[in-house]
Amino acid sequence: MSDSQQVTLDPHVMVNGVPIATDSEGYLCHLDDWSEDFARALAAREGLTLTDEHWEVIRFLRSHYAEHGVQAQVRVMIRHFAPLWGPQRGNNHHLHAIFPRGGPQKQGNRLAGLLRTKGEH
């Protein structure tokens, strides 16, 4: 695909027949619109089937944000998941492998209903 051909995403995700507003990259416009059904619908649109592992990360991201008021950095995720999942899965490579569209900090945050991290365009 050339630079002049861009894929434009619908700025809404349909959740149980209701359009939920997102920005052009799929981040929620209103944090209160998040639900597990939203995460499933967005994941399906991004070609991702959510597993228990994805849900563990999504719930961790939401919990971290609720507690600290900021998105978790990848190194914080690794520190959390390495003891739980072991060194083969609780690492940067695996977290990026299970969230192939931008890694856990982009795709994970989108699915968790969090806003774009600072510096994203």
Side-chain angles (χ1 to χ4, degrees):
M1 182 184 307
S2 72
D3 290 339
S4 63
Q5 296 173 313
Q6 295 182 5
V7 176
T8 303
L9 293 177
D10 180 357
H12 295 87
V13 174
M14 293 301 289
V15 179
N16 300 321
V18 177
I20 303 297
T22 62
D23 70 9
S24 63
E25 292 185 30
Y27 291 90
L28 276 176
C29 292
H30 308 286
L31 294 179
D32 292 339
D33 287 341
W34 187 84
S35 66
E36 289 190 359
D37 286 338
F38 169 83
R40 285 183 197 95
L42 181 60
R45 185 167 91 174
E46 294 185 359
L48 186 67
T49 301
L50 296 177
T51 65
D52 289 343
E53 207 169 48
H54 291 104
W55 284 113
E56 284 185 62
V57 175
I58 289 168
R59 290 184 180 112
F60 171 76
L61 291 172
R62 292 187 58 78
S63 173
H64 186 276
Y65 185 82
E67 185 176 336
H68 301 282
V70 296
Q71 291 95 333
Q73 296 176 332
V74 175
R75 70 173 176 255
V76 172
M77 293 179 221
I78 292 168
R79 202 170 346 174
H80 176 81
F81 287 106
L84 297 173
W85 293 352
Q88 295 299 318
R89 294 187 307 137
N91 61 51
N92 185 49
H93 179 76
H94 184 72
L95 287 169
H96 279 79
I98 66 172
F99 291 102
R101 293 190 59 190
Q105 202 163 26
K106 289 185 180 182
Q107 188 173 32
N109 281 334
R110 277 195 307 272
L111 295 170
L114 303 178
L115 301 176
R116 285 184 199 204
T117 55
K118 288 184 179 181
E120 282 189 62
H121 303 282

